[in-house]
Amino acid sequence: MFDTIKKWTYLSLVNLLIVSMLGVTLRYKGAFSLPVLDYKYLLHAHSHFAFSGWVTTVLFTCFVYLIPFRKTYMYQFWLNQVASFGMLISFAIQGYGVVSIAFSALSVVFSFWFAISYLKDISSLSFPPLVKSCLRLALVFLMISSAGPFMLAFGKGDMVLYNNAIYFYLHFQYNGWFTFGVMALFFWAAPRFHIYLAPNFSKVFVILMGIACVPAYCMSTLWAHPPGWVYTIAGAAGMLQLAALVFLILAVPVIKNLHVLWVLASLAFIVKIVLQVLTLVTALGRFAYGFRPVVIGYLHLVVLGFVSFLILGFLILNRLIKGDKLGLGIFITGVIANEVILMVQCVMAYFWGSGTPMVPYWLLGAGMVMMTGIGVLVIRNKS
């Protein structure tokens, strides 16, 4: 079983490399020109494969690692790969079309099959209550997020409904499936690697985050200037998440035993929560949703800085991949550079109304650094 999990982990890493190559291609089109490829189609392929081919694949692998192996999970893994690569190719060629939608639907089938199977399996296992709660919340939000793509069909011709359907999917993936998934891995691994958490504070953190997740979707709809009651719900959810963050910080009294990737993931999570709360400020919220680099910076902060760093740390500590210092160092440098460049671009646009024409070239450079780091990790783990 362990050899199978290691194989799946390596394939997940290869998928991350493909994601980074697509990202570099997008950055190249932004800096120069590549007319043979449609930017919008390629962007859809990049985002869908990042979610399904990288994050969902590696979270699936880590979740299966935690429990007794069943052959069902073998079928589910390969079903997800077929759906992921199907979306990668079809979205790159046709964007949203019959084929890409079919593979998206196949991905939804995988999500429900896996979630229901796993929830049934862990019901009889003696996980720590905190870990089991996070696992259950992650899988429930994974299923809820699947409604987003179907909501797009009802939003055609209505920009507000269409964009809110996209934000629905993104919210329950980022703040539900991804967040509670990596938290489950962290709470499971922490005591095994001498990281002792205050149990009461940890419990309150999970409870508050769980309560806040559904109403926090309202924060993603503020761009459309909804009724006042939506702002009230969004504000309450933001305050709950901010309170949860305080309890998480209290739950981890020392960080000396944290892997450097987990330290960076923690910092990214803190920034993530703070940025979400800041969008409640009307002027900042309008700027955040109206200026594309802000959204891109936030999405990359979560997927790379929070989720990927935490997962890579989990994989290294559990010897599922080799923690090559050169590859990790290059990758971390690229991620930080990407976020800093986007932040500088956003600050300049907010205060001075314009950025610098050099930003596309800097972002291309940061993307190439990230791709190089992941490439080194893939090569060093090939054996």
Side-chain angles (χ1 to χ4, degrees):
M1 185 274 284
F2 186 72
D3 288 340
T4 299
I5 295 297
K6 288 196 71 173
K7 178 183 177 182
W8 291 356
T9 303
Y10 181 73
L11 292 174
S12 301
L13 208 57
V14 172
N15 287 358
L16 177 58
L17 178 60
I18 295 172
V19 172
S20 69
M21 292 168 67
L22 290 169
V24 168
T25 306
L26 287 167
R27 292 303 187 196
Y28 182 89
K29 281 185 67 66
F32 300 101
S33 178
L34 197 61
V36 70
L37 294 174
D38 185 284
Y39 183 89
K40 192 173 182 179
Y41 292 176
L42 198 63
L43 181 62
H44 288 319
H46 172 68
S47 59
H48 281 82
F49 195 73
F51 280 33
S52 183
W54 162 236
V55 180
T56 294
T57 297
V58 76
L59 277 178
F60 169 90
T61 302
C62 292
F63 276 27
V64 174
Y65 172 72
L66 304 183
I67 66 173
F69 189 80
R70 286 199 300 121
K71 199 170 183 179
T72 300
Y73 295 118
M74 181 80 73
Y75 301 136
Q76 291 175 355
F77 177 86
W78 292 112
L79 174 63
N80 182 52
Q81 295 312 291
V82 170
S84 298
F85 279 92
M87 287 189 289
L88 169 65
I89 297 169
S90 58
F91 273 113
I93 295 174
Q94 66 170 189
Y96 277 98
V98 175
V99 178
S100 57
I101 291 173
F103 280 113
S104 298
L106 193 63
S107 179
V108 171
V109 171
F110 156 77
S111 298
F112 275 83
W113 186 16
F114 167 57
I116 293 170
S117 298
Y118 200 85
L119 286 169
K120 182 179 178 181
D121 284 349
I122 64 172
S123 63
S124 58
L125 297 177
S126 57
F127 276 114
L130 206 60
V131 175
K132 186 173 282 191
S133 296
C134 286
L135 289 171
R136 285 172 170 165
L137 285 168
L139 293 166
V140 168
F141 289 130
L142 170 63
M143 290 188 286
I144 291 175
S145 72
S146 300
F150 294 102
M151 291 166 60
L152 291 174
F154 297 98
K156 284 187 175 180
D158 188 320
M159 188 187 72
V160 173
L161 289 177
Y162 187 85
N163 287 335
N164 281 341
I166 293 174
Y167 284 129
F168 182 94
Y169 174 74
L170 290 174
H171 172 74
F172 286 105
Q173 285 275 306
Y174 275 71
N175 299 304
W177 166 229
F178 293 177
T179 295
F180 287 98
V182 296
M183 284 298 174
L185 300 180
F186 175 73
F187 287 128
W188 181 88
R192 289 166 171 77
F193 298 100
H194 312 293
I195 302 166
Y196 302 104
L197 308 173
N200 291 334
F201 290 146
S202 300
K203 182 178 179 180
V204 174
F205 162 74
V206 173
I207 291 173
L208 291 178
M209 289 295 291
I211 293 172
C213 190
V214 173
Y217 167 63
C218 291
M219 298 171 70
S220 299
T221 67
L222 299 183
W223 68 276
H225 312 298
W229 62 268
V230 176
Y231 281 91
T232 301
I233 295 175
M239 293 303 102
L240 280 175
Q241 290 184 331
L242 204 57
L245 178 61
V246 172
F247 279 100
L248 179 63
I249 294 172
L250 293 173
V252 188
V254 292
I255 64 171
K256 65 179 182 179
N257 291 327
L258 288 179
H259 192 283
V260 63
L261 285 167
W262 283 3
V263 174
L264 293 171
S266 301
L267 293 174
F269 182 72
I270 292 171
V271 175
K272 167 190 179 298
I273 296 297
V274 172
L275 287 177
Q276 282 183 256
V277 174
L278 287 177
T279 60
L280 295 171
V281 179
T282 304
L284 292 175
R286 288 176 181 173
F287 175 73
Y289 288 108
F291 191 53
R292 185 175 178 81
V294 177
V295 178
I296 294 174
Y298 174 79
L299 297 180
H300 283 83
L301 173 73
V302 177
V303 171
L304 296 175
F306 171 46
V307 175
S308 295
F309 280 172
L310 200 149
I311 289 175
L312 288 173
F314 178 88
L315 297 176
I316 292 167
L317 288 171
N318 286 280
R319 301 183 183 278
L320 292 170
I321 63 170
K322 298 174 185 175
D324 181 77
K325 291 183 179 180
L326 176 62
L328 285 174
I330 296 173
F331 178 58
I332 291 170
T333 300
V335 172
I336 294 175
N338 184 70
E339 290 301 314
V340 170
I341 294 167
L342 287 169
M343 181 184 70
V344 170
Q345 183 183 17
C346 295
V347 170
M348 292 181 69
Y350 186 79
F351 288 103
W352 293 285
S354 64
T356 167
M358 294 303 295
V359 165
Y361 304 99
W362 295 345
L363 290 172
L364 173 60
M368 293 178 70
V369 172
M370 283 190 280
M371 183 180 69
T372 302
I374 299 165
V376 172
L377 285 173
V378 168
I379 292 170
R380 296 290 178 89
N381 278 277
K382 194 176 188 304
S383 58

